[in-house]
Each structure stands twice: as structure tokens, then as C-alpha cells.
Amino acid sequence: MGSEPVAGVRRVRFGNAELSADPERPGGWLLRVDGIAQSYVDLDDPSYLELEYLRYMGYVVDAVEPFDRPLDVVHIGGGGGTFPRYLSAVRPGSRHLIIEADAALAEFVDERLGLRAVPGVDLRIGDGLTELATLPDASADLLVADAFEGLRMAAGITGPVFTAQAARVLRPDGIYLVNLVGTRHHLDEIRASFPYRVLLDGDVFAGYIGNQVLAASRIPLPLDALHRRTDQEMPPVRVAPDPSR
């Protein structure tokens, strides 16, 4: 990135994007779309994850041994590039393909926060399913679905066609991470393709409702390491098996 980031607002495909500096954390930048927080990036410390659901994803990846192994990662949805930045910091040498449907948002983030300058990042503008279908079989260790259409989860992410492509692109020991925006999702297709699944959320407090993260794989997930990672967190994190129905 050739210049210091600056705050600003831009009309993008799915709403109005606003980037603002965090007055309490040097290097911190918050990206909102139509007033809803989409990404938080700390340019000085990419390992810092402000948003809870991204911390949940980080806990899963942190539990995968060897802990410093570089990963091949496909990100469906780019936002501010928070998770690619995190993985590049904690697992140097990782390679990232970011597939972003909102070209205006991607250019806004790249211009202000240097998305393409993140180590190992390849940014591709296009429809998530269409671009996923072009990738080689068994070419990714991790597939992250964190895509929005406005304030809703992108259509089809948990459906049969997208799930089949995710299973094809992931290696046999790969992990599928899905940000489940909202409260009700039909996960039958994912359950059929990935027999090992856990849900992470923070709803241990009465009345608390937030994003859930689904971690799914065709081999057993590293639950012992995951619990060691989450048991001491505050606020508490729940790690629970995803039921078959």
C-alpha cells in the first residue's frame, strides 16, 4: 500500500460502505456496509481479531497441527481481508485466493487498506460458485465462506451445488468454515458431505444471539486442541457438535 489509509464512504454493490479509524486502537479500521460491521482490520497487528465470529474461525485454524504449517486457503467473500491477514501473520507462507462478488467493495478496500498487498493474496472478482467451480480438485486446505448480499448471507452457500464444489476443492483433510449469519439455516447438504462438524458461538449468556461458525470436515476435527484454545476465553465460547438434524 503506497499511502496511509484514510476514512471514507463509497457506494458499492450491496449498499454503502464506510471505513472509519478506531480512535482507541492505533492501526484499527472498521468497515461497515449500511451501518453493519463487516470487518475490522488492525494494520499494525494482523493477528488481532476484533469481531467474535472471526475469532471463532481463528480458534479452529489454531487447533490444526502442525500449528505453523502454511495453508492453501480459498475465501468466499473478502470484506476487509481480516482473515487472510490473520492467517498470513500466524501461518507465514499461506496462500490465499479471495473471491469477492462486489467489485466496488474490493477496490475500495484495496485502495484504502491494501488488500492486494497482503502476503500470499490473489484477489479475484466474481461470483463465488462460478469461480469455485474453476478451481482444481483437492487444492485447498481451508475454505472460508463469509459472504454477504447486503445484510444477508449470500444465497446458496449452504445449498447442494455450492457444498458439492466445496467438497471437491477441499483436500480430504480440509476444513470448511461457514459464517452462519442469522438464526436458521438448512445444513442438510453440508451434513451429508462433511460428517464431522462443530458449531462455535458465544450464546452462553441468556438472551445473547450472535453469529455462529460451522466447522466441517471429512475427518475428525481437533476437538481437544480446540477446547484448550477456547476454554479460557472471555467472553466464553461454546463449542458444540452440530446435530444431524
Side-chain angles (χ1 to χ4, degrees):
M1 187 169 59
S3 60
E4 291 297 316
V6 293
V9 178
R10 185 168 301 177
R11 181 68 184 173
V12 297
R13 178 178 176 184
F14 296 117
N16 288 311
E18 178 183 5
L19 186 66
S20 58
D22 183 348
E24 299 182 358
R25 188 176 180 91
W29 291 86
L30 178 63
L31 175 68
R32 296 183 179 92
V33 176
D34 285 349
I36 303 299
Q38 299 283 348
S39 298
Y40 182 102
V41 173
D42 189 325
L43 297 176
D44 295 337
D45 181 7
S47 68
Y48 176 75
L49 297 175
E50 169 74 14
L51 300 183
E52 287 183 343
Y53 83 91
L54 285 172
R55 292 203 295 272
Y56 304 158
M57 291 185 176
Y59 300 148
V60 174
V61 177
D62 291 349
V64 175
E65 297 186 31
F67 302 124
D68 60 350
R69 174 170 65 95
L71 301 175
D72 293 320
V73 189
V74 177
H75 304 261
I76 307 297
T82 307
F83 208 53
R85 297 173 201 266
Y86 174 79
L87 292 174
S88 290
V90 302
R91 290 179 178 262
S94 294
R95 295 183 295 183
H96 308 275
L97 173 62
I98 299 175
I99 300 172
E100 174 57 63
D102 192 331
L105 178 63
E107 291 306 315
F108 182 53
V109 171
D110 186 39
E111 172 190 307
R112 304 297 175 107
L113 299 178
L115 185 57
R116 287 187 174 93
V118 177
V121 159
D122 177 18
L123 175 62
R124 187 179 298 183
I125 306 301
D127 172 74
L129 177 58
T130 301
E131 297 300 330
L132 192 62
T134 69
L135 302 183
D137 293 356
S139 57
D141 300 301
L142 184 68
L143 196 155
V144 181
D146 184 16
F148 297 83
E149 293 174 351
L151 305 181
R152 297 176 298 175
M153 194 166 105
I157 291 291
T158 62
V161 179
F162 197 98
T163 299
Q165 288 297 330
R168 181 187 65 80
V169 168
L170 280 167
R171 294 179 174 130
D173 61 349
I175 296 176
Y176 187 23
L177 288 176
V178 187
N179 178 18
L180 296 176
V181 182
T183 57
R184 291 185 179 274
H185 300 279
H186 298 289
L187 303 177
D188 291 352
E189 302 298 336
I190 294 178
R191 288 166 177 155
S193 297
F194 299 95
Y196 299 95
R197 304 170 310 278
V198 294
L199 287 166
L200 292 88
D201 62 26
D203 65 354
V204 294
F205 298 117
Y208 178 88
I209 297 176
N211 291 29
Q212 288 185 317
V213 166
L214 174 70
S217 180
R218 285 169 288 199
I219 68 169
L221 291 158
L223 293 181
D224 289 344
L226 182 56
H227 280 291
R228 286 195 299 271
R229 184 70 180 84
T230 59
D231 282 350
Q232 304 303 315
E233 292 298 318
M234 287 298 295
V237 179
R238 183 179 68 167
V239 179
D242 170 53
S244 296
R245 296 292 178 192

